[in-house]
Amino acid sequence: MYDTTLHSALEGAFQSIRQAREAFTPPLQAREIGHVSSVATGIARVTGLPNVGFEELVKFPGGLYGIAFDLAETDIGVVLLGDYWHLQAGDEVERTGRVMDVPVGDALIGRVINPLGVALDDKGVLAFTQRLPIERPAAPIMDRDPVTVPLQTGIKVIDALVPIGRGQRELILGDRQTGKTTIAVDTILNQHDQNVLCVYCAIGQRASAVAKVVASLREHGAMAYTIVVVTEGNDPPGLTYIAPYAATSIAEHFMHQGRDVLIVYDDLTNHARAYRELSLLLRRPPGREAFPGDIFYIHSRLLERSTHLRQRFGGGSLTALPIIETEAQNMAAYIPTNLISITDGQIYLSPKLFELGVLPAVDVGRSVSRVGGKAQLADYRRVAGSLKLAYAQFEELEGFARFGTRLDDNTRKVLAHGQRIRACLQQAEHQPVPVAAQISLLQALSDGKFDTVPLEQMQAAEQQLYVAAGFRPAP
Ligand SMILES: Nc1ncnc2c1ncn2[C@@H]1O[C@H](COP(=O)(O)OP(=O)(O)OP(=O)(O)O)[C@@H](O)[C@H]1O
Ligand SMILES: [Mg+2]
């Protein structure tokens, strides 16, 4: 007997299978694969990826990544971001369709990482939820507010004479071993009660120098609000090149949440050298000092990202302290002049002062802060205004006084006062002085209260003043 119900049920089932089959489109995944044609120090040339985008991330065997940097007609030049010793001509290269990015967020605070987001400390892998591209456009002018809030460094000579504001870019430059890193680290240490997050980006430094900085930050409890991004001297140049951009994205994330952030780039001389190395390997034409033509642009687009945002955009700020190493006190070399013109001022550290034991070795005459003065606390302006002039006069006279000429009373007074100013502005490392203590010291100084104190007793006098004013407990 023919069962009509069964027939129609079967017919219905076939129908739905047919419909499902017609609606099905197999998930085609296009993977673009090219091949390595040659490998050189830190770069590889790759063929067979005609659609790759500028600065796109590409993947090599063994979990190695690279950035497509040089797009030519027949092949591309890729900057390698890790150990490339296993790489050989003929190896497969895959497009990823994304640009280089870095983990961001609260989980990074207190950590030491590399620019790829790999933890270098012993606290395990990073637990992050968000990533940001390392290269991001700077905030447009209309989104920015003037710099109005001071960033207190706790270093007397800087807070009084070359003040820095939140959102400013202040260059620290000087010969090797003149205390550049110490100024940046002391500034970070002073932020412990200022609600400023800090990012310290070590670029192509000796491992021992990085370890020393991390140890001082740990010792003074500064890791509670600091992120350290590290590339060392033996890292591939590609990794060194991306380090400051990655660190800036990490800092920017907090700025866009309305926080005040301080970022230290230590140092951009190494960054420029890494970029020069890459450019020469990619056979780009060298210019002055063998740097490529776009060396100015790599630093200007980095430092343009530091700013003070309008209240409408959260009111956060990013203050940058880029560091540059000069050679034989030559501030007029290519990279220093570029950076001087990009930043809002510079703190120049003099090896001569360092040798004389005037520490920190800030050369006040050659240092300037172009926007910080407007953000400086009014009390500083009152007590430090006359100081700068008196100190400049003293420095000028000091040169003449060395000839042993007979000096009149007035000159002798200016010299004595200047020497007291210099003594008062000296400061040991890792000992930030709070604002109120600085102001009472500067007030006493500009009132001439120290002029009769013998020079060798200046330090004791300073300590006595702090004790008398209640800033330090009596010994
Ligand atoms: N205010 C200071 N008081 C005492 N010692 C200081 C002071 N500032 C710096 N130093 C000492 O000077 C030395 C050099 O300092 P630092 O490492 O900061 O210099 P640098 O310019 O960063 O050097 P490099 O060129 O190697 O990076 C260090 O041993 C440091 O302890
Ligand atoms: Mg240093």
Side-chain angles (χ1 to χ4, degrees):
M1 200 181 75
Y2 188 69
D3 188 342
T4 46
T5 41
L6 180 64
H7 180 261
S8 60
L10 278 174
E11 189 65 22
F14 284 139
Q15 181 80 15
S16 50
I17 289 173
R18 211 174 298 128
Q19 273 171 0
R21 196 190 62 205
E22 274 158 17
F24 176 73
T25 40
L28 279 181
Q29 263 183 353
R31 284 171 64 209
E32 280 185 55
I33 300 216
H35 291 96
V36 175
S37 62
S38 70
V39 184
T41 329
I43 66 154
R45 296 213 75 90
V46 172
T47 53
L49 290 180
N51 299 320
V52 76
F54 181 57
E55 296 200 336
E56 182 176 331
L57 212 55
V58 293
K59 192 175 171 198
F60 293 88
L64 171 67
Y65 283 91
I67 299 177
F69 222 63
D70 220 24
L71 307 186
E73 237 173 289
T74 51
D75 65 349
I76 59 171
V78 178
V79 168
L80 302 171
L81 299 176
D83 247 343
Y84 49 84
W85 302 115
H86 62 281
L87 214 59
Q88 293 195 338
D91 281 351
E92 277 191 358
V93 190
E94 194 180 329
R95 271 187 72 182
T96 63
R98 60 193 181 101
V99 290
M100 180 68 211
D101 53 15
V102 66
V104 295
D106 289 343
L108 272 67
I109 298 173
R111 302 299 303 264
V112 181
I113 60 170
N114 78 0
L116 304 173
V118 178
L120 301 176
D121 51 15
D122 47 12
K123 294 191 185 148
V125 286
L126 286 181
F128 63 90
T129 51
Q130 202 186 342
R131 301 180 75 96
L132 280 180
I134 61 163
E135 297 263 12
R136 304 176 72 212
I141 293 177
M142 294 312 288
D143 297 0
R144 301 177 180 219
D145 245 1
V147 172
T148 47
V149 182
L151 183 105
Q152 250 27 87
T153 63
I155 302 169
K156 291 176 280 182
V157 60
I158 297 177
D159 286 345
L161 301 177
V162 262
I164 302 172
R166 293 188 183 179
Q168 185 178 345
R169 299 150 305 168
E170 182 82 4
L171 180 67
I172 301 175
L173 83 167
D175 279 14
R176 51 174 295 281
Q177 288 288 307
T178 47
K180 304 182 294 295
T181 304
T182 307
I183 292 214
V185 170
D186 284 358
T187 306
I188 294 179
L189 298 187
N190 196 47
Q191 306 311 316
H192 65 97
D193 56 354
Q194 313 271 327
N195 198 19
V196 174
L197 265 178
C198 303
V199 179
Y200 177 82
C201 179
I203 307 168
Q205 285 196 38
R206 277 168 292 126
S208 62
V210 180
K212 196 177 147 204
V213 169
V214 174
S216 353
L217 292 176
R218 285 232 164 90
E219 190 187 324
H220 294 86
M223 284 308 280
Y225 53 88
T226 305
I227 300 164
V228 181
V229 181
V230 176
T231 60
E232 288 167 0
N234 55 354
D235 282 331
L239 205 60
T240 304
Y241 167 68
I242 64 166
Y245 302 103
T248 310
S249 288
I250 291 172
E252 262 177 347
H253 172 74
F254 294 109
M255 172 177 74
H256 287 297
Q257 290 179 341
R259 303 202 53 174
D260 290 313
V261 191
L262 167 72
I263 186 163
V264 175
Y265 305 106
D266 195 1
D267 59 47
L268 290 184
T269 311
N270 286 338
H271 183 243
R273 286 190 188 135
Y275 188 62
R276 171 168 68 185
E277 193 174 333
L278 291 174
S279 299
L280 292 175
L281 288 165
L282 290 168
R283 299 185 190 285
R284 291 185 183 173
R288 186 171 156 194
E289 290 180 25
F291 286 108
D294 56 349
I295 191 82
F296 185 88
Y297 177 56
I298 70 160
H299 288 150
S300 63
R301 75 167 189 260
L302 173 73
L303 293 167
E304 265 311 296
R305 292 165 68 180
S306 303
T307 184
H308 179 204
L309 291 177
R310 284 201 166 179
Q311 220 53 47
R312 216 156 21 106
F313 301 97
S317 72
L318 178 58
T319 313
L321 293 181
I323 298 180
I324 278 282
E325 184 181 301
T326 51
E327 271 168 28
Q329 303 177 53
N330 184 8
M331 274 170 92
Y334 192 25
I335 302 298
T337 41
N338 277 354
L339 274 142
I340 286 173
S341 68
I342 295 168
T343 49
D344 309 307
Q346 77 267 355
I347 294 170
Y348 179 69
L349 298 174
S350 146
K352 282 196 191 122
L353 290 176
F354 195 92
E355 275 164 25
L356 290 173
V358 180
L359 293 170
V362 176
D363 184 335
V364 177
R366 288 196 189 182
S367 303
V368 62
S369 173
R370 288 188 206 104
V371 298
K374 296 187 199 85
Q376 198 178 26
L377 295 175
D379 282 334
Y380 272 110
R381 253 174 277 168
R382 191 167 46 77
V383 294
S386 60
L387 220 61
K388 192 155 192 175
L389 187 67
Y391 195 63
Q393 278 176 340
F394 157 71
E395 282 193 320
E396 201 173 312
L397 281 179
E398 196 189 20
F400 288 114
R402 282 212 197 96
F403 296 123
T405 38
R406 293 190 58 189
L407 305 166
D408 61 279
D409 273 354
N410 192 31
T411 314
R412 219 171 285 146
K413 239 190 231 163
V414 172
L415 280 174
H417 187 56
Q419 281 164 339
R420 304 302 176 291
I421 298 177
R422 180 176 277 170
C424 273
L425 294 179
Q426 289 197 25
Q427 192 169 341
E429 57 184 332
H430 310 331
Q431 287 180 19
V433 181
V435 176
Q438 287 193 27
I439 292 188
S440 47
L441 177 74
L442 295 172
Q443 179 75 61
L445 184 62
S446 60
D447 289 351
K449 295 252 161 54
F450 288 122
D451 287 358
T452 49
V453 178
L455 263 187
E456 60 281 1
Q457 288 178 19
M458 278 300 293
Q459 236 181 348
E462 183 184 340
Q463 295 307 324
Q464 269 175 16
L465 179 133
Y466 292 156
V467 172
F471 298 117
R472 295 251 163 92

